[in-house]
């Protein structure tokens, strides 16, 4: 069974991205609710989200996906 990590927080392009890298290197299944992370501007936010999806294989979701 693979451990799942849900990543939220500030600085999408710094702290969140580095946490995703750490989880990826440890073999975790990663989910990032895009509406639960933020960066200084929209460009940095989008670039970080795209990078995490492409490189760290993060599943980019909405926070509403966790509500049943």
């Amino acid at each position: 069974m693979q451990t799942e990590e849900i990543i939220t927080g500030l600085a999408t392009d710094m702290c969140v991205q580095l946490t995703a890298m750490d989880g990826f290197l440890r073999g975790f299944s990663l989910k990032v609710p895009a509406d639960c992370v933020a960066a200084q501007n929209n460009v940095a936010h989008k670039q970080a989200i795209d990078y995490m999806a492409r490189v760290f294989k993060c599943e980019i979701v909405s926070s509403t996906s966790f509500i049943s």
Side-chain angles (χ1 to χ4, degrees), residues 10-21:
L10 292 177
T12 310
D13 54 330
M14 290 184 238
C15 302
V16 175
Q17 190 169 317
L18 290 172
T19 300
M21 179 184 67

Side-chain angles (χ1 to χ4, degrees), residues 1 3 10 24-25 32 34-35 37-38 44-45 48 60:
M1 186 169 112
T3 302
L10 292 177
F24 175 77
L25 293 174
V32 178
D35 56 329
V37 294
H45 175 76
I60 308 303

Side-chain angles (χ1 to χ4, degrees), residues 9-65:
L10 292 177
T12 310
D13 54 330
M14 290 184 238
C15 302
V16 175
Q17 190 169 317
L18 290 172
T19 300
M21 179 184 67
D22 189 45
F24 175 77
L25 293 174
R26 294 172 189 270
F28 294 171
S29 170
L30 305 169
K31 289 187 179 180
V32 178
D35 56 329
C36 293
V37 294
Q40 273 191 316
N41 60 61
N42 289 335
V43 172
H45 175 76
K46 179 162 177 22
Q47 287 175 341
I49 290 290
D50 292 345
Y51 186 85
M52 288 185 285
R54 187 178 71 253
V55 177
F56 304 138
K57 310 302 182 216
C58 293
E59 182 181 349
I60 308 303
V61 298
S62 170
S63 61
T64 60
S65 69

